[in-house]
């Protein structure tokens, strides 16, 4: 078991928390979800052509490049995906997947803070930067869009919209398909979700209708 002092963990969090990005509203952002519908599309080259690419949680691109691309600038990660072992829940889960990624920027949605600390312990040797979505940022998003307990994907979409006027979504079906088709790269053992995907779908449909983003 690896053990680190609190001073080591705080120092490491500060070193990794380096957000160096020039926010230009004209830059294009692709937000890539994990839906199995991506396997029916060949959008990989188009996704990679965007200035910035967001992905979610533990999405794999290796061997799926033709469908989902290979470029990842920011990876939005739920607290449980950051520090827990999810072998029993997700068939492709590898405990060192995040640790071994390079040159990405992880955006962690973790509350309470102990999930963040445990994640830093687990991925202490990562080659990627790590920043955190504060609870007040999530709360403000939820107030603005009128949806409680938004999903990680919804948080990524809203961050993209704050950064850019040129946002495209790929692989978002808001869990309308069966469990076996919800992730393009693995099988999922069913579990209880807290958020309301239909409310999120209605909101994204509205944004698309108003030409505030594009959905593929």
């Amino acid at each position: 078991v690896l053990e680190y002092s609190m001073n080591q963990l705080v120092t490491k969090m500060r070193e990794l928390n380096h957000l160096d990005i020039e926010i230009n509203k004209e830059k294009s952002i692709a937000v890539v979800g994990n839906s199995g519908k991506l396997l029916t599309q060949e959008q990989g080259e188009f996704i990679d052509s965007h200035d910035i690419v967001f992905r979610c949680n533990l999405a794999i691109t290796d061997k799926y490049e033709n469908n989902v691309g290979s470029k990842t600038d920011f990876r939005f990660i739920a607290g449980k995906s950051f520090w827990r072992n999810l072998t029993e829940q997700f068939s492709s889960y590898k405990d060192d997947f995040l640790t071994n990624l390079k040159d990405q920027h992880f955006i962690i949605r973790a509350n309470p803070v102990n999930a963040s600390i445990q994640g830093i312990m687990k991925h202490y040797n990562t080659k990627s930067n790590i920043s955190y979505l504060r609870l007040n940022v999530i709360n403000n998003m939820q107030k603005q869009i009128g949806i409680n307990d938004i999903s990680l994907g919804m948080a990524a979409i809203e961050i993209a919209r704050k950064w850019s006027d040129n946002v495209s979504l790929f692989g978002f079906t808001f869990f309308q398909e069966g469990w076996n088709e919800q992730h393009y790269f693995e099988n999922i053992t069913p579990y209880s979700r807290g958020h309301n995907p239909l409310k999120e779908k209605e909101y994204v449909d509205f944004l698309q209708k108003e030409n505030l983003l594009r959905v593929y």
Side-chain angles (χ1 to χ4, degrees), residues 24-57:
N24 181 336
K25 298 286 279 187
E26 294 182 357
K27 283 189 174 182
S28 59
I29 298 181
V31 185
V32 186
N34 296 336
S35 170
K37 84 167 187 176
L38 286 164
L39 295 179
T40 68
Q41 303 171 341
E42 295 183 354
Q43 299 279 15
E45 185 175 349
F46 181 37
I47 289 171
D48 284 349
S49 72
H50 288 72
D51 295 312
I52 300 170
V53 177
F54 288 3
R55 298 190 192 272
C56 296
N57 281 318

PDB file of all heavy atoms in Angstrom, residues 24-57:
ATOM      1  N   ASN A  24     -11.109  31.033 -25.866  1.00  0.00           N
ATOM      2  CA  ASN A  24     -11.477  31.787 -27.059  1.00  0.00           C
ATOM      3  C   ASN A  24     -12.828  31.256 -27.519  1.00  0.00           C
ATOM      4  O   ASN A  24     -12.951  30.094 -27.909  1.00  0.00           O
ATOM      5  CB  ASN A  24     -10.415  31.589 -28.141  1.00  0.00           C
ATOM      6  CG  ASN A  24     -10.704  32.352 -29.412  1.00  0.00           C
ATOM      7  OD1 ASN A  24     -11.854  32.683 -29.713  1.00  0.00           O
ATOM      8  ND2 ASN A  24      -9.664  32.627 -30.186  1.00  0.00           N
ATOM      9  N   LYS A  25     -13.839  32.095 -27.458  1.00  0.00           N
ATOM     10  CA  LYS A  25     -15.209  31.640 -27.733  1.00  0.00           C
ATOM     11  C   LYS A  25     -15.383  31.106 -29.154  1.00  0.00           C
ATOM     12  O   LYS A  25     -16.367  30.434 -29.447  1.00  0.00           O
ATOM     13  CB  LYS A  25     -16.195  32.784 -27.491  1.00  0.00           C
ATOM     14  CG  LYS A  25     -16.224  33.298 -26.065  1.00  0.00           C
ATOM     15  CD  LYS A  25     -16.935  32.337 -25.138  1.00  0.00           C
ATOM     16  CE  LYS A  25     -18.420  32.495 -25.213  1.00  0.00           C
ATOM     17  NZ  LYS A  25     -19.150  31.685 -24.206  1.00  0.00           N
ATOM     18  N   GLU A  26     -14.422  31.389 -30.025  1.00  0.00           N
ATOM     19  CA  GLU A  26     -14.533  30.913 -31.397  1.00  0.00           C
ATOM     20  C   GLU A  26     -13.939  29.516 -31.581  1.00  0.00           C
ATOM     21  O   GLU A  26     -14.170  28.877 -32.612  1.00  0.00           O
ATOM     22  CB  GLU A  26     -13.842  31.894 -32.350  1.00  0.00           C
ATOM     23  CG  GLU A  26     -14.525  33.268 -32.411  1.00  0.00           C
ATOM     24  CD  GLU A  26     -13.852  34.202 -33.383  1.00  0.00           C
ATOM     25  OE1 GLU A  26     -12.821  33.802 -33.974  1.00  0.00           O
ATOM     26  OE2 GLU A  26     -14.341  35.332 -33.563  1.00  0.00           O
ATOM     27  N   LYS A  27     -13.180  29.040 -30.600  1.00  0.00           N
ATOM     28  CA  LYS A  27     -12.608  27.706 -30.707  1.00  0.00           C
ATOM     29  C   LYS A  27     -13.713  26.653 -30.662  1.00  0.00           C
ATOM     30  O   LYS A  27     -14.665  26.773 -29.896  1.00  0.00           O
ATOM     31  CB  LYS A  27     -11.608  27.459 -29.580  1.00  0.00           C
ATOM     32  CG  LYS A  27     -10.272  28.140 -29.782  1.00  0.00           C
ATOM     33  CD  LYS A  27      -9.257  27.690 -28.738  1.00  0.00           C
ATOM     34  CE  LYS A  27      -7.881  28.272 -29.033  1.00  0.00           C
ATOM     35  NZ  LYS A  27      -6.865  27.804 -28.052  1.00  0.00           N
ATOM     36  N   SER A  28     -13.574  25.615 -31.462  1.00  0.00           N
ATOM     37  CA  SER A  28     -14.574  24.552 -31.494  1.00  0.00           C
ATOM     38  C   SER A  28     -14.279  23.517 -30.406  1.00  0.00           C
ATOM     39  O   SER A  28     -13.123  23.174 -30.152  1.00  0.00           O
ATOM     40  CB  SER A  28     -14.591  23.879 -32.862  1.00  0.00           C
ATOM     41  OG  SER A  28     -13.325  23.323 -33.169  1.00  0.00           O
ATOM     42  N   ILE A  29     -15.351  23.042 -29.763  1.00  0.00           N
ATOM     43  CA  ILE A  29     -15.223  22.016 -28.730  1.00  0.00           C
ATOM     44  C   ILE A  29     -16.135  20.842 -29.064  1.00  0.00           C
ATOM     45  O   ILE A  29     -17.324  21.027 -29.326  1.00  0.00           O
ATOM     46  CB  ILE A  29     -15.584  22.567 -27.331  1.00  0.00           C
ATOM     47  CG1 ILE A  29     -14.634  23.701 -26.933  1.00  0.00           C
ATOM     48  CG2 ILE A  29     -15.538  21.449 -26.286  1.00  0.00           C
ATOM     49  CD1 ILE A  29     -14.917  24.283 -25.550  1.00  0.00           C
ATOM     50  N   ALA A  30     -15.567  19.650 -29.049  1.00  0.00           N
ATOM     51  CA  ALA A  30     -16.347  18.413 -29.184  1.00  0.00           C
ATOM     52  C   ALA A  30     -16.485  17.799 -27.801  1.00  0.00           C
ATOM     53  O   ALA A  30     -15.480  17.565 -27.128  1.00  0.00           O
ATOM     54  CB  ALA A  30     -15.656  17.439 -30.121  1.00  0.00           C
ATOM     55  N   VAL A  31     -17.715  17.577 -27.369  1.00  0.00           N
ATOM     56  CA  VAL A  31     -17.976  16.886 -26.110  1.00  0.00           C
ATOM     57  C   VAL A  31     -18.434  15.481 -26.477  1.00  0.00           C
ATOM     58  O   VAL A  31     -19.488  15.301 -27.096  1.00  0.00           O
ATOM     59  CB  VAL A  31     -19.042  17.596 -25.264  1.00  0.00           C
ATOM     60  CG1 VAL A  31     -19.187  16.917 -23.904  1.00  0.00           C
ATOM     61  CG2 VAL A  31     -18.696  19.077 -25.086  1.00  0.00           C
ATOM     62  N   VAL A  32     -17.640  14.487 -26.123  1.00  0.00           N
ATOM     63  CA  VAL A  32     -17.899  13.112 -26.555  1.00  0.00           C
ATOM     64  C   VAL A  32     -18.438  12.296 -25.381  1.00  0.00           C
ATOM     65  O   VAL A  32     -17.751  12.111 -24.373  1.00  0.00           O
ATOM     66  CB  VAL A  32     -16.623  12.450 -27.110  1.00  0.00           C
ATOM     67  CG1 VAL A  32     -16.947  11.073 -27.692  1.00  0.00           C
ATOM     68  CG2 VAL A  32     -15.969  13.340 -28.168  1.00  0.00           C
ATOM     69  N   GLY A  33     -19.669  11.839 -25.515  1.00  0.00           N
ATOM     70  CA  GLY A  33     -20.247  10.945 -24.523  1.00  0.00           C
ATOM     71  C   GLY A  33     -19.817   9.517 -24.789  1.00  0.00           C
ATOM     72  O   GLY A  33     -18.950   9.250 -25.631  1.00  0.00           O
ATOM     73  N   ASN A  34     -20.452   8.570 -24.116  1.00  0.00           N
ATOM     74  CA  ASN A  34     -19.997   7.180 -24.193  1.00  0.00           C
ATOM     75  C   ASN A  34     -21.021   6.230 -24.803  1.00  0.00           C
ATOM     76  O   ASN A  34     -20.843   5.014 -24.754  1.00  0.00           O
ATOM     77  CB  ASN A  34     -19.628   6.682 -22.787  1.00  0.00           C
ATOM     78  CG  ASN A  34     -18.453   7.442 -22.203  1.00  0.00           C
ATOM     79  OD1 ASN A  34     -17.645   8.001 -22.937  1.00  0.00           O
ATOM     80  ND2 ASN A  34     -18.353   7.476 -20.886  1.00  0.00           N
ATOM     81  N   SER A  35     -22.084   6.756 -25.390  1.00  0.00           N
ATOM     82  CA  SER A  35     -23.161   5.902 -25.879  1.00  0.00           C
ATOM     83  C   SER A  35     -22.698   4.924 -26.959  1.00  0.00           C
ATOM     84  O   SER A  35     -21.849   5.245 -27.798  1.00  0.00           O
ATOM     85  CB  SER A  35     -24.294   6.755 -26.450  1.00  0.00           C
ATOM     86  OG  SER A  35     -25.235   5.941 -27.120  1.00  0.00           O
ATOM     87  N   GLY A  36     -23.312   3.745 -26.929  1.00  0.00           N
ATOM     88  CA  GLY A  36     -23.030   2.746 -27.945  1.00  0.00           C
ATOM     89  C   GLY A  36     -23.393   3.182 -29.347  1.00  0.00           C
ATOM     90  O   GLY A  36     -22.946   2.575 -30.326  1.00  0.00           O
ATOM     91  N   LYS A  37     -24.179   4.253 -29.473  1.00  0.00           N
ATOM     92  CA  LYS A  37     -24.547   4.707 -30.823  1.00  0.00           C
ATOM     93  C   LYS A  37     -23.322   5.180 -31.605  1.00  0.00           C
ATOM     94  O   LYS A  37     -23.360   5.244 -32.834  1.00  0.00           O
ATOM     95  CB  LYS A  37     -25.591   5.825 -30.748  1.00  0.00           C
ATOM     96  CG  LYS A  37     -25.064   7.229 -30.542  1.00  0.00           C
ATOM     97  CD  LYS A  37     -26.158   8.256 -30.793  1.00  0.00           C
ATOM     98  CE  LYS A  37     -25.610   9.678 -30.770  1.00  0.00           C
ATOM     99  NZ  LYS A  37     -26.640  10.670 -31.107  1.00  0.00           N
ATOM    100  N   LEU A  38     -22.235   5.479 -30.905  1.00  0.00           N
ATOM    101  CA  LEU A  38     -21.011   5.891 -31.586  1.00  0.00           C
ATOM    102  C   LEU A  38     -20.478   4.794 -32.495  1.00  0.00           C
ATOM    103  O   LEU A  38     -19.793   5.077 -33.484  1.00  0.00           O
ATOM    104  CB  LEU A  38     -19.946   6.288 -30.564  1.00  0.00           C
ATOM    105  CG  LEU A  38     -20.172   7.632 -29.867  1.00  0.00           C
ATOM    106  CD1 LEU A  38     -19.309   7.748 -28.621  1.00  0.00           C
ATOM    107  CD2 LEU A  38     -19.881   8.784 -30.818  1.00  0.00           C
ATOM    108  N   LEU A  39     -20.790   3.544 -32.186  1.00  0.00           N
ATOM    109  CA  LEU A  39     -20.323   2.430 -33.011  1.00  0.00           C
ATOM    110  C   LEU A  39     -21.040   2.382 -34.352  1.00  0.00           C
ATOM    111  O   LEU A  39     -20.584   1.711 -35.281  1.00  0.00           O
ATOM    112  CB  LEU A  39     -20.519   1.107 -32.267  1.00  0.00           C
ATOM    113  CG  LEU A  39     -19.702   0.925 -30.986  1.00  0.00           C
ATOM    114  CD1 LEU A  39     -20.020  -0.419 -30.345  1.00  0.00           C
ATOM    115  CD2 LEU A  39     -18.204   1.046 -31.263  1.00  0.00           C
ATOM    116  N   THR A  40     -22.153   3.096 -34.463  1.00  0.00           N
ATOM    117  CA  THR A  40     -22.895   3.141 -35.727  1.00  0.00           C
ATOM    118  C   THR A  40     -22.471   4.348 -36.569  1.00  0.00           C
ATOM    119  O   THR A  40     -22.985   4.546 -37.666  1.00  0.00           O
ATOM    120  CB  THR A  40     -24.414   3.213 -35.475  1.00  0.00           C
ATOM    121  OG1 THR A  40     -24.751   4.481 -34.881  1.00  0.00           O
ATOM    122  CG2 THR A  40     -24.857   2.101 -34.547  1.00  0.00           C
ATOM    123  N   GLN A  41     -21.562   5.145 -36.044  1.00  0.00           N
ATOM    124  CA  GLN A  41     -21.106   6.348 -36.729  1.00  0.00           C
ATOM    125  C   GLN A  41     -19.600   6.276 -36.943  1.00  0.00           C
ATOM    126  O   GLN A  41     -18.888   5.611 -36.193  1.00  0.00           O
ATOM    127  CB  GLN A  41     -21.455   7.599 -35.910  1.00  0.00           C
ATOM    128  CG  GLN A  41     -22.940   7.734 -35.593  1.00  0.00           C
ATOM    129  CD  GLN A  41     -23.216   8.861 -34.614  1.00  0.00           C
ATOM    130  OE1 GLN A  41     -22.326   9.317 -33.895  1.00  0.00           O
ATOM    131  NE2 GLN A  41     -24.460   9.325 -34.593  1.00  0.00           N
ATOM    132  N   GLU A  42     -19.119   6.958 -37.946  1.00  0.00           N
ATOM    133  CA  GLU A  42     -17.674   7.044 -38.185  1.00  0.00           C
ATOM    134  C   GLU A  42     -17.281   8.515 -38.106  1.00  0.00           C
ATOM    135  O   GLU A  42     -16.950   9.153 -39.103  1.00  0.00           O
ATOM    136  CB  GLU A  42     -17.315   6.431 -39.533  1.00  0.00           C
ATOM    137  CG  GLU A  42     -17.593   4.936 -39.605  1.00  0.00           C
ATOM    138  CD  GLU A  42     -17.168   4.316 -40.925  1.00  0.00           C
ATOM    139  OE1 GLU A  42     -16.759   5.074 -41.839  1.00  0.00           O
ATOM    140  OE2 GLU A  42     -17.234   3.075 -41.030  1.00  0.00           O
ATOM    141  N   GLN A  43     -17.294   9.025 -36.868  1.00  0.00           N
ATOM    142  CA  GLN A  43     -17.070  10.449 -36.638  1.00  0.00           C
ATOM    143  C   GLN A  43     -15.673  10.749 -36.089  1.00  0.00           C
ATOM    144  O   GLN A  43     -15.383  11.889 -35.729  1.00  0.00           O
ATOM    145  CB  GLN A  43     -18.117  10.980 -35.631  1.00  0.00           C
ATOM    146  CG  GLN A  43     -19.558  10.844 -36.081  1.00  0.00           C
ATOM    147  CD  GLN A  43     -19.981  11.938 -37.037  1.00  0.00           C
ATOM    148  OE1 GLN A  43     -19.137  12.644 -37.592  1.00  0.00           O
ATOM    149  NE2 GLN A  43     -21.278  12.099 -37.233  1.00  0.00           N
ATOM    150  N   GLY A  44     -14.819   9.730 -36.016  1.00  0.00           N
ATOM    151  CA  GLY A  44     -13.528   9.917 -35.367  1.00  0.00           C
ATOM    152  C   GLY A  44     -12.700  11.061 -35.920  1.00  0.00           C
ATOM    153  O   GLY A  44     -12.198  11.904 -35.172  1.00  0.00           O
ATOM    154  N   GLU A  45     -12.558  11.118 -37.223  1.00  0.00           N
ATOM    155  CA  GLU A  45     -11.750  12.182 -37.839  1.00  0.00           C
ATOM    156  C   GLU A  45     -12.377  13.542 -37.595  1.00  0.00           C
ATOM    157  O   GLU A  45     -11.667  14.527 -37.317  1.00  0.00           O
ATOM    158  CB  GLU A  45     -11.610  11.914 -39.343  1.00  0.00           C
ATOM    159  CG  GLU A  45     -10.683  12.891 -40.043  1.00  0.00           C
ATOM    160  CD  GLU A  45     -10.471  12.541 -41.507  1.00  0.00           C
ATOM    161  OE1 GLU A  45     -10.876  11.438 -41.936  1.00  0.00           O
ATOM    162  OE2 GLU A  45      -9.894  13.381 -42.234  1.00  0.00           O
ATOM    163  N   PHE A  46     -13.693  13.625 -37.675  1.00  0.00           N
ATOM    164  CA  PHE A  46     -14.395  14.885 -37.434  1.00  0.00           C
ATOM    165  C   PHE A  46     -14.231  15.333 -35.981  1.00  0.00           C
ATOM    166  O   PHE A  46     -13.981  16.508 -35.702  1.00  0.00           O
ATOM    167  CB  PHE A  46     -15.869  14.722 -37.781  1.00  0.00           C
ATOM    168  CG  PHE A  46     -16.701  15.965 -37.594  1.00  0.00           C
ATOM    169  CD1 PHE A  46     -16.202  17.225 -37.894  1.00  0.00           C
ATOM    170  CD2 PHE A  46     -18.005  15.870 -37.114  1.00  0.00           C
ATOM    171  CE1 PHE A  46     -16.974  18.375 -37.723  1.00  0.00           C
ATOM    172  CE2 PHE A  46     -18.785  17.006 -36.940  1.00  0.00           C
ATOM    173  CZ  PHE A  46     -18.262  18.253 -37.238  1.00  0.00           C
ATOM    174  N   ILE A  47     -14.354  14.405 -35.038  1.00  0.00           N
ATOM    175  CA  ILE A  47     -14.166  14.740 -33.620  1.00  0.00           C
ATOM    176  C   ILE A  47     -12.770  15.301 -33.385  1.00  0.00           C
ATOM    177  O   ILE A  47     -12.592  16.339 -32.750  1.00  0.00           O
ATOM    178  CB  ILE A  47     -14.414  13.501 -32.736  1.00  0.00           C
ATOM    179  CG1 ILE A  47     -15.912  13.149 -32.718  1.00  0.00           C
ATOM    180  CG2 ILE A  47     -13.912  13.736 -31.310  1.00  0.00           C
ATOM    181  CD1 ILE A  47     -16.233  11.830 -32.064  1.00  0.00           C
ATOM    182  N   ASP A  48     -11.769  14.632 -33.931  1.00  0.00           N
ATOM    183  CA  ASP A  48     -10.383  15.064 -33.725  1.00  0.00           C
ATOM    184  C   ASP A  48     -10.072  16.392 -34.398  1.00  0.00           C
ATOM    185  O   ASP A  48      -9.079  17.047 -34.059  1.00  0.00           O
ATOM    186  CB  ASP A  48      -9.416  14.001 -34.241  1.00  0.00           C
ATOM    187  CG  ASP A  48      -9.310  12.804 -33.307  1.00  0.00           C
ATOM    188  OD1 ASP A  48      -9.808  12.886 -32.174  1.00  0.00           O
ATOM    189  OD2 ASP A  48      -8.723  11.782 -33.726  1.00  0.00           O
ATOM    190  N   SER A  49     -10.897  16.820 -35.354  1.00  0.00           N
ATOM    191  CA  SER A  49     -10.654  18.086 -36.043  1.00  0.00           C
ATOM    192  C   SER A  49     -11.032  19.292 -35.180  1.00  0.00           C
ATOM    193  O   SER A  49     -10.676  20.428 -35.515  1.00  0.00           O
ATOM    194  CB  SER A  49     -11.439  18.136 -37.359  1.00  0.00           C
ATOM    195  OG  SER A  49     -12.846  18.301 -37.131  1.00  0.00           O
ATOM    196  N   HIS A  50     -11.737  19.078 -34.090  1.00  0.00           N
ATOM    197  CA  HIS A  50     -12.112  20.180 -33.205  1.00  0.00           C
ATOM    198  C   HIS A  50     -10.884  20.701 -32.456  1.00  0.00           C
ATOM    199  O   HIS A  50      -9.942  19.956 -32.196  1.00  0.00           O
ATOM    200  CB  HIS A  50     -13.178  19.731 -32.211  1.00  0.00           C
ATOM    201  CG  HIS A  50     -14.527  19.523 -32.833  1.00  0.00           C
ATOM    202  ND1 HIS A  50     -14.802  18.456 -33.674  1.00  0.00           N
ATOM    203  CD2 HIS A  50     -15.681  20.243 -32.744  1.00  0.00           C
ATOM    204  CE1 HIS A  50     -16.056  18.529 -34.077  1.00  0.00           C
ATOM    205  NE2 HIS A  50     -16.619  19.607 -33.535  1.00  0.00           N
ATOM    206  N   ASP A  51     -10.923  21.978 -32.108  1.00  0.00           N
ATOM    207  CA  ASP A  51      -9.791  22.572 -31.386  1.00  0.00           C
ATOM    208  C   ASP A  51      -9.586  21.910 -30.031  1.00  0.00           C
ATOM    209  O   ASP A  51      -8.450  21.718 -29.584  1.00  0.00           O
ATOM    210  CB  ASP A  51     -10.023  24.077 -31.194  1.00  0.00           C
ATOM    211  CG  ASP A  51     -10.046  24.843 -32.499  1.00  0.00           C
ATOM    212  OD1 ASP A  51      -9.124  24.631 -33.319  1.00  0.00           O
ATOM    213  OD2 ASP A  51     -10.979  25.638 -32.714  1.00  0.00           O
ATOM    214  N   ILE A  52     -10.680  21.589 -29.361  1.00  0.00           N
ATOM    215  CA  ILE A  52     -10.625  20.997 -28.031  1.00  0.00           C
ATOM    216  C   ILE A  52     -11.597  19.817 -27.985  1.00  0.00           C
ATOM    217  O   ILE A  52     -12.718  19.916 -28.482  1.00  0.00           O
ATOM    218  CB  ILE A  52     -11.006  22.022 -26.940  1.00  0.00           C
ATOM    219  CG1 ILE A  52     -10.037  23.215 -26.958  1.00  0.00           C
ATOM    220  CG2 ILE A  52     -11.024  21.377 -25.547  1.00  0.00           C
ATOM    221  CD1 ILE A  52     -10.480  24.370 -26.074  1.00  0.00           C
ATOM    222  N   VAL A  53     -11.164  18.714 -27.381  1.00  0.00           N
ATOM    223  CA  VAL A  53     -12.027  17.540 -27.243  1.00  0.00           C
ATOM    224  C   VAL A  53     -12.191  17.194 -25.758  1.00  0.00           C
ATOM    225  O   VAL A  53     -11.201  17.039 -25.040  1.00  0.00           O
ATOM    226  CB  VAL A  53     -11.457  16.321 -27.998  1.00  0.00           C
ATOM    227  CG1 VAL A  53     -12.343  15.093 -27.772  1.00  0.00           C
ATOM    228  CG2 VAL A  53     -11.347  16.621 -29.493  1.00  0.00           C
ATOM    229  N   PHE A  54     -13.453  17.120 -25.327  1.00  0.00           N
ATOM    230  CA  PHE A  54     -13.808  16.658 -23.983  1.00  0.00           C
ATOM    231  C   PHE A  54     -14.228  15.197 -24.078  1.00  0.00           C
ATOM    232  O   PHE A  54     -14.973  14.813 -24.981  1.00  0.00           O
ATOM    233  CB  PHE A  54     -15.014  17.422 -23.417  1.00  0.00           C
ATOM    234  CG  PHE A  54     -14.773  18.852 -23.022  1.00  0.00           C
ATOM    235  CD1 PHE A  54     -13.557  19.473 -23.216  1.00  0.00           C
ATOM    236  CD2 PHE A  54     -15.801  19.593 -22.453  1.00  0.00           C
ATOM    237  CE1 PHE A  54     -13.358  20.802 -22.853  1.00  0.00           C
ATOM    238  CE2 PHE A  54     -15.616  20.909 -22.079  1.00  0.00           C
ATOM    239  CZ  PHE A  54     -14.400  21.528 -22.280  1.00  0.00           C
ATOM    240  N   ARG A  55     -13.805  14.385 -23.115  1.00  0.00           N
ATOM    241  CA  ARG A  55     -14.347  13.037 -22.952  1.00  0.00           C
ATOM    242  C   ARG A  55     -14.785  12.853 -21.505  1.00  0.00           C
ATOM    243  O   ARG A  55     -14.470  13.672 -20.642  1.00  0.00           O
ATOM    244  CB  ARG A  55     -13.319  11.967 -23.355  1.00  0.00           C
ATOM    245  CG  ARG A  55     -12.928  12.056 -24.820  1.00  0.00           C
ATOM    246  CD  ARG A  55     -12.101  10.879 -25.299  1.00  0.00           C
ATOM    247  NE  ARG A  55     -11.540  11.178 -26.618  1.00  0.00           N
ATOM    248  CZ  ARG A  55     -12.143  10.942 -27.766  1.00  0.00           C
ATOM    249  NH1 ARG A  55     -13.336  10.373 -27.779  1.00  0.00           N
ATOM    250  NH2 ARG A  55     -11.574  11.252 -28.917  1.00  0.00           N
ATOM    251  N   CYS A  56     -15.506  11.758 -21.253  1.00  0.00           N
ATOM    252  CA  CYS A  56     -16.102  11.557 -19.935  1.00  0.00           C
ATOM    253  C   CYS A  56     -15.644  10.250 -19.298  1.00  0.00           C
ATOM    254  O   CYS A  56     -15.608   9.196 -19.953  1.00  0.00           O
ATOM    255  CB  CYS A  56     -17.627  11.556 -20.036  1.00  0.00           C
ATOM    256  SG  CYS A  56     -18.322  13.129 -20.572  1.00  0.00           S
ATOM    257  N   ASN A  57     -15.288  10.349 -18.023  1.00  0.00           N
ATOM    258  CA  ASN A  57     -14.952   9.197 -17.199  1.00  0.00           C
ATOM    259  C   ASN A  57     -13.879   8.317 -17.824  1.00  0.00           C
ATOM    260  O   ASN A  57     -12.841   8.809 -18.237  1.00  0.00           O
ATOM    261  CB  ASN A  57     -16.217   8.410 -16.850  1.00  0.00           C
ATOM    262  CG  ASN A  57     -16.983   9.070 -15.710  1.00  0.00           C
ATOM    263  OD1 ASN A  57     -16.402   9.527 -14.738  1.00  0.00           O
ATOM    264  ND2 ASN A  57     -18.301   9.118 -15.834  1.00  0.00           N
TER     265      ASN A  57
END
